[in-house]
């Protein structure tokens, strides 16, 4: 039985954020690389779970049952299974040369004078195909650094361009953990969320490209790495199937098989390596897999104790004072809640997992369609994540290019533009009534 709204029930969440953020600030101050990832999030959440159990007024066995029921929630388990398949596809495709093929394909078609917008497009395509901003940056950073040094392009700007493109795909990709988390928490199809996101992301990307074209990068020809371009086909395959609306389990399974088949035909990819890479892909998702399960259990405890009801009521009351239209209230509520949470945890997937249930409630109260709340949830998590100087993306690119993280974050123009476009669409949208009528909207 859910208790009345209670701020006290949010103390476990506050403890988790304090530990996760506090450790990151400490390691950042002491000069440790990837400071906000030194304390693993599944470990940081354990004291919060213990506190949540202690604060419950239920009998001890019922407290444990509430936690376990949250861990075993259908949406949580489904999300975790998708994580495993997404990790397997990314690892198999990379092992067979798919990442190199995507990079080479992009560089084949980029004129030297179009280098900055071209690298943004490459990063956007690769991250959309791979489903990971960090994997994209890891693959492209060495190539981009060499191009930047050879052509004399401002390195902070170049680093920001790569992060911008990587966050484009992180936000849109159907195998991104943020997309998986957003669609499962809001209860919508990935293809619906993708289409809603696209209507915001494409205008933002076009504006970004026009901005980047204004920079003079000279005419230094890029050095193209050797790769079999046919190996890029599995990436395009899963994108097309996802847009067609095929079930995500089927899309990812077919993608894994196709990537392996191309590898076996072109680069003598062996069955033993295939099986090992699948497991490596599973293992690469270990942290987010465990965190998703544990957050599901913690959320169940917080929900049972009235914490999520309190949070939804508080955010709802603030937006009611600021906005008259219920859909605008819901949209700004989702955006604000997501942005503030991401500032605290510096991880867009963790942000979506933490704020997903409250966002869904705000959307239902404001008559906002699930695909729209999922889109806004993912957009504003990625906007803040890409612009954070203590986020993994800025920290990684700073270390790779010999820059300070703040030099990287202030140049992630697409993230700022995406946030501005999303807010503009919320403000200027036409009032619509009913969730069914709301479905075709752009936010």
């Amino acid at each position: 039985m859910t208790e009345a709204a209670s701020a006290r029930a949010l103390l476990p969440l506050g403890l988790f954020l304090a530990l996760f953020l506090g450790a990151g600030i400490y390691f950042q101050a002491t000069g440790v690389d990837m400071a906000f990832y030194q304390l693993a999030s599944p470990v940081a959440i354990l004291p919060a779970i213990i506190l949540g159990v202690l604060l419950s007024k239920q009998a001890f066995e019922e407290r444990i049952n509430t936690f376990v029921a949250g861990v075993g929630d259908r949406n949580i388990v489904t999300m975790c299974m998708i994580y495993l398949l997404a990790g397997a596809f990314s690892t198999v495709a990379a092992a067979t040369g798919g990442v190199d093929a995507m990079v080479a394909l992009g560089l084949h078609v980029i004129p030297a004078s179009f280098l900055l917008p071209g690298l943004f497009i490459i990063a956007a395509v690769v991250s959309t195909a791979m489903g990971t901003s960090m994997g994209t940056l890891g693959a492209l950073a060495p190539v981009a650094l060499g191009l930047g040094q050879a052509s004399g392009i401002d390195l902070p700007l170049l680093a920001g361009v790569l992060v911008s493109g990587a966050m484009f795909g992180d936000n849109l990709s159907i195998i991104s953990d943020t997309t998986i988390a957003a669609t499962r928490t809001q209860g919508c199809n990935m293809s619906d969320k993708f289409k809603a996101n696209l209507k915001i992301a494409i205008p933002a990307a076009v504006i970004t490209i026009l901005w980047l074209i204004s920079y003079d990068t000279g005419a230094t020809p890029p050095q193209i790495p050797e790769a079999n371009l046919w190996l890029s086909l599995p990436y395009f395959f899963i994108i097309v199937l996802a847009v067609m609306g095929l079930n995500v389990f089927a899309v990812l399974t077919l993608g894994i098989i196709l990537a392996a088949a191309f590898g076996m035909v072109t680069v003598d990819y062996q069955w033993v390596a295939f099986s090992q890479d699948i497991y490596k892909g599973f293992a690469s998702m270990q942290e987010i897999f465990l965190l998703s399960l544990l957050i599901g259990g913690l959320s169940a405890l917080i929900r049972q104790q009235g914490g999520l009801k309190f949070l939804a009521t508080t955010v709802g009351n603030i937006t009611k004072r600021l906005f008259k239209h219920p859909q605008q209230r819901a949209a700004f509520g989702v955006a604000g809640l997501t942005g503030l949470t991401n500032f605290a945890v510096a991880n867009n997937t963790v942000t979506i997992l933490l704020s997903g249930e409250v966002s869904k409630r705000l959307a239902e109260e404001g008559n906002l369609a699930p695909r729209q709340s999922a889109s806004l949830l993912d957009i504003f998590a990625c906007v803040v994540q890409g612009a954070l100087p203590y986020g993994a993306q800025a920290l990684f690119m700073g270390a790779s290019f010999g820059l300070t993280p703040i030099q990287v974050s202030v140049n992630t123009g697409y993230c700022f533009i995406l946030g501005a476009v999303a807010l503009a669409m919320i403000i200027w949208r036409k009032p619509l009534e009913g969730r069914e009528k709301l479905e075709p909207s752009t936010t």
Side-chain angles (χ1 to χ4, degrees), residues 161-363:
V161 168
L162 281 189
V163 173
S164 293
M167 296 313 296
F168 174 93
D170 199 318
N171 174 221
L172 276 178
S173 175
I174 62 102
I175 60 172
S176 167
D177 47 8
T178 61
T179 292
I180 295 166
T183 54
R184 296 312 303 178
T185 58
Q186 301 307 295
C188 70
N189 294 327
M190 287 194 177
S191 58
D192 291 338
K193 181 262 185 188
F194 178 84
K195 293 170 185 174
N197 246 24
L198 208 61
K199 295 176 182 178
I200 301 175
I202 291 300
V206 170
I207 295 171
T208 301
I209 291 171
L210 293 175
W211 164 58
L212 293 175
I213 288 175
S214 67
Y215 287 90
D216 181 13
T217 57
T220 303
Q223 184 177 357
I224 302 173
E226 292 187 8
N228 186 334
L229 299 184
W230 288 104
L231 292 172
S232 63
L233 286 179
Y235 287 110
F236 293 104
F237 176 78
I238 67 166
I239 293 174
V240 171
L241 289 182
V243 174
M244 290 172 60
L246 188 64
N247 180 276
V248 65
F249 287 101
V251 170
L252 291 173
T253 301
L254 290 171
I256 293 169
I257 295 172
L258 188 62
F262 269 73
M264 291 173 184
V265 171
T266 59
V267 294
D268 195 28
Y269 189 54
Q270 300 296 318
W271 283 101
V272 173
F274 178 40
S275 65
Q276 292 173 344
D277 286 334
I278 288 177
Y279 185 73
K280 287 179 185 176
F282 289 170
S284 71
M285 292 291 177
Q286 174 181 313
E287 181 172 351
I288 192 62
F289 184 96
L290 293 174
L291 181 62
S292 296
L293 294 176
L294 295 175
I295 280 185
L298 179 61
S299 294
L301 289 171
I302 293 174
R303 179 174 60 251
Q304 187 276 324
Q305 296 170 41
L308 294 181
K309 185 183 293 185
F310 171 82
L311 191 55
T313 301
T314 301
V315 174
N317 288 338
I318 293 174
T319 53
K320 283 179 182 177
R321 296 192 189 103
L322 298 175
F323 307 100
K324 294 182 178 181
H325 197 278
Q327 292 160 357
Q328 283 188 329
R329 290 200 298 264
F332 274 105
V334 172
L337 176 66
T338 303
L340 289 174
T341 304
N342 209 116
F343 271 115
V345 302
N347 184 300
N348 47 350
T349 306
V350 175
T351 293
I352 292 171
L353 291 170
L354 287 173
S355 56
E357 185 167 347
V358 176
S359 295
K360 184 177 182 180
R361 184 175 301 180
L362 290 171

Side-chain angles (χ1 to χ4, degrees), residues 61-81:
E61 288 296 328
E62 292 180 357
R63 303 177 197 186
I64 301 302
N65 289 337
T66 297
F67 173 79
V68 172
V71 170
D73 181 84
R74 179 177 178 273
N75 284 330
I76 296 292
V77 174
T78 301
M79 185 163 53
C80 288
M81 294 303 298

Side-chain angles (χ1 to χ4, degrees), residues 93-135:
T96 55
V99 173
D100 292 337
M102 289 295 291
V103 173
L105 179 63
L107 291 177
H108 266 295
V109 298
I110 298 180
S113 59
F114 198 69
L115 192 57
L116 280 177
L119 284 174
F120 170 78
I121 293 171
I122 289 178
V125 172
V126 172
S127 59
T128 301
M130 291 181 69
T132 164
S133 58
M134 293 303 294

